[in-house]
Amino acid sequence: MHLPYAHNIYDVDLKTRTIYGPDFISVQRDHKAEVIYFKVDRYIDYVDLANTVCVIEYIIPGDEDRIPYIYVVPFYDTTKFIAEGKMIFPWNVGGPATQTEGIIEYAIRFFRIDGDGINAKLAYSLSTLPAKSKILPSIEGDGEIMKAEYDIPVKAYESLI
């Protein structure tokens, strides 16, 4: 898929496993209102990452149990930076990621599973180091506007992902 990019594109260095992400990624209680784009080498060693699944694993601000959530990357753009051997993918930030203001920690993982059912096995996995960004505060409220207009309780965001 090829898209025109109006936003900044943030680099991911797979040699050092470092994400050079934004200072903030969204505002509290926004849902899919912000898209962050990452640019990464398409090929690393012998692997074409366009043939893997990519997820963004994240821990929401203030989660003392540090339970990770995942965002499944819906597509790769393998054409915009083809001459550089790079590809781009989005993170459409929402759901649990924006429930609480504060520092969000996230990492990017590429993986491939071979086989299916009981014979499935992890054939490849590559992860970045964790990065940190901010979920900015919004005007405090009781969420009634959201409920009234959309009938979506705050705790049910994850069902929309």
Side-chain angles (χ1 to χ4, degrees), residues 71-138:
Y71 170 80
V72 179
V73 171
F75 66 87
Y76 303 120
D77 178 342
T78 58
T79 61
K80 186 163 183 78
F81 293 100
I82 193 167
E84 297 176 33
K86 305 276 186 181
M87 65 182 190
I88 298 173
F89 59 90
W91 179 10
N92 194 352
V93 183
T98 61
Q99 285 181 2
T100 309
E101 70 172 284
I103 303 298
I104 185 168
E105 190 173 350
Y106 64 98
I108 299 166
R109 180 177 303 277
F110 296 91
F111 68 93
R112 189 178 70 236
I113 296 174
D114 287 345
D116 57 4
I118 196 165
N119 297 319
K121 64 180 180 176
L122 185 63
Y124 182 80
S125 178
L126 177 142
S127 183
T128 65
L129 295 169
K132 293 182 180 180
S133 191
K134 295 176 191 163
I135 303 297
L136 299 177
S138 64

Side-chain angles (χ1 to χ4, degrees), residues 4-125:
Y5 294 96
H7 294 15
N8 288 333
I9 300 172
Y10 298 95
D11 288 319
V12 178
D13 183 340
L14 293 179
K15 291 176 183 80
T16 64
R17 307 292 178 94
T18 303
I19 301 169
Y20 297 98
D23 293 332
F24 72 93
I25 61 172
S26 193
V27 173
Q28 181 183 9
R29 290 192 297 275
D30 276 4
H31 181 65
K32 306 233 181 209
E34 189 70 42
V35 180
I36 309 297
Y37 294 97
F38 296 100
K39 181 170 68 169
V40 64
D41 288 327
R42 178 174 173 177
Y43 301 96
I44 184 152
D45 296 327
Y46 60 90
V47 177
D48 179 355
L49 294 179
N51 293 324
T52 64
V53 175
C54 180
V55 295
I56 298 172
E57 303 166 320
Y58 61 93
I59 297 171
I60 61 175
D63 185 356
E64 294 173 10
D65 295 328
R66 297 187 52 82
I67 299 169
Y69 290 85
I70 64 166
Y71 170 80
V72 179
V73 171
F75 66 87
Y76 303 120
D77 178 342
T78 58
T79 61
K80 186 163 183 78
F81 293 100
I82 193 167
E84 297 176 33
K86 305 276 186 181
M87 65 182 190
I88 298 173
F89 59 90
W91 179 10
N92 194 352
V93 183
T98 61
Q99 285 181 2
T100 309
E101 70 172 284
I103 303 298
I104 185 168
E105 190 173 350
Y106 64 98
I108 299 166
R109 180 177 303 277
F110 296 91
F111 68 93
R112 189 178 70 236
I113 296 174
D114 287 345
D116 57 4
I118 196 165
N119 297 319
K121 64 180 180 176
L122 185 63
Y124 182 80
S125 178

